[in-house]
Amino acid sequence: MRVLFVCLGNICRSPTAEGVLRHKLIDAGLADRVEVASAGTSDWHIGKAPDSRSLRAAKLRGYDMSAQRAQQAKAADFNTYDLILAMDHSNLRDLKAIAPVNAKAELDLFLSRYDGAKDEVPDPYYDGEHGFEEVLDLVEYACDRLIVELKGRL
Ligand code: 4NP
């Protein structure tokens, strides 16, 4: 099973989701059954580490994302991954625009899949520290539910 998280820059929200899910997969004993990655719809930050504010906030909750590097989402991802989860409506729209007709992957909006109070993970890039904490709160909530889904599907 392969899961890809997608946001705009791949330096704040989707790398956070990747780091949190990877950690939770280890705790759930599923690390060898599920692969996780992240990508951005833009090419703006290709090859860069996550934003230092995301790295710091995640580290304080026990998630080490320092080895992750940004990449851009591409049409071929729709036949590499089983589940592609977008952080907001704009990411979802941009992904639909590059999806090939024979896509294998299921494409969905990450939070709305798990009935959270919000359906988008807000972009924290131009925000203060609070925005990065909110990203972690929302991502942790949804990743716990994603783990339950994955356990049922494996
Ligand atoms: P992300 O946040 O999509 O969560 O990685 C952003 C990162 C960078 C920019 C925008 C959003 N930017 O404008 O460079």
Side-chain angles (χ1 to χ4, degrees), residues 48-107:
K48 285 197 207 152
D51 186 287
S52 58
R53 297 165 294 176
S54 292
L55 283 174
R56 194 178 322 115
K59 193 85 187 282
L60 287 170
R61 296 196 194 190
Y63 309 110
D64 180 7
M65 317 191 302
S66 58
Q68 297 175 204
R69 293 295 176 267
Q71 56 176 343
Q72 186 175 22
K74 53 189 186 303
D77 292 334
F78 285 85
N79 287 305
T80 301
Y81 294 93
D82 301 289
L83 189 54
I84 299 181
L85 296 169
M87 295 293 137
D88 64 31
H89 286 287
S90 146
N91 307 149
L92 187 64
R93 230 177 1 254
D94 291 344
L95 285 164
K96 281 180 180 162
I98 63 161
V101 283
N102 65 344
K104 164 187 92 164
E106 184 187 355
L107 175 62

Side-chain angles (χ1 to χ4, degrees), residues 2-16:
R2 294 193 175 96
V3 179
L4 180 70
F5 292 109
V6 178
C7 61
L8 174 60
N10 194 211
I11 55 169
C12 299
R13 293 165 292 173
S14 61
T16 299

Side-chain angles (χ1 to χ4, degrees), residues 86-143:
M87 295 293 137
D88 64 31
H89 286 287
S90 146
N91 307 149
L92 187 64
R93 230 177 1 254
D94 291 344
L95 285 164
K96 281 180 180 162
I98 63 161
V101 283
N102 65 344
K104 164 187 92 164
E106 184 187 355
L107 175 62
D108 207 350
L109 195 58
F110 183 35
L111 293 191
S112 68
R113 189 175 182 88
Y114 302 110
D115 294 327
K118 290 192 167 196
D119 65 353
E120 298 190 303
V121 182
D123 183 351
Y125 191 66
Y126 296 104
D127 207 348
E129 210 171 293
H130 168 78
F132 291 86
E133 293 302 324
E134 186 185 19
V135 168
L136 276 161
D137 290 343
L138 294 168
V139 161
E140 283 181 327
Y141 168 89
C143 279

